[in-house]
Amino acid sequence: MTKPLTLSIPHSLGRAEARRRLVDGMGEVRARLGAVATSIDDSWAGDRLDFRVVALAQTIAGHIDVLDNSVEMEVQLPWALALLAEKIRNKVTRQGTLMLEKR
């Protein structure tokens, strides 16, 4: 088992608006992953999104917690993808920040 990938993305939107933007952004995530993913499951329980993606015979699972001033994410990467953890962290942080920027 690999160490989970964790990241925090600060925001100044408030919890409700940050959650709304993440809900809206999941459609775009599904579209991007649709070409390689055989399964994308996600479910909200309050301000927590649990997700599981199977792509290229690899399963990625984790959760996202929406807080008042940040979004906290923890992802369990299979060993093959754990080798790319820093690249994945940078990409997810960049995309998450874009999703949460004030418009």
Side-chain angles (χ1 to χ4, degrees):
M1 181 64 80
T2 61
K3 181 179 173 184
L5 171 69
T6 59
L7 59 96
S8 178
I9 303 172
H11 67 79
S12 58
L13 300 169
R15 189 181 301 234
E17 178 61 14
R19 184 183 188 283
R20 184 194 69 74
R21 289 188 187 195
L22 289 174
V23 168
D24 290 349
M26 284 308 294
E28 184 178 327
V29 170
R30 283 181 177 280
R32 286 184 181 183
L33 293 176
V36 294
T38 55
S39 173
I40 302 173
D41 300 311
D42 60 86
S43 65
W44 284 94
D47 291 324
R48 174 175 273 209
L49 171 65
D50 291 303
F51 62 88
R52 183 174 173 274
V53 177
V54 179
L56 305 172
Q58 300 291 314
T59 301
I60 301 166
H63 64 268
I64 299 171
D65 291 311
V66 182
L67 306 175
D68 292 331
N69 297 308
S70 67
V71 172
E72 308 290 326
M73 182 176 189
E74 181 175 301
V75 183
Q76 296 292 332
L77 295 172
W79 70 269
L81 293 177
L83 300 172
L84 302 171
E86 279 309 306
K87 286 185 178 187
I88 294 169
R89 177 194 315 276
N90 293 339
K91 176 87 170 169
V92 170
T93 299
R94 192 169 38 254
Q95 292 301 314
T97 299
L98 288 173
M99 198 179 298
L100 295 170
E101 281 184 340
K102 284 205 175 226
R103 298 174 208 188

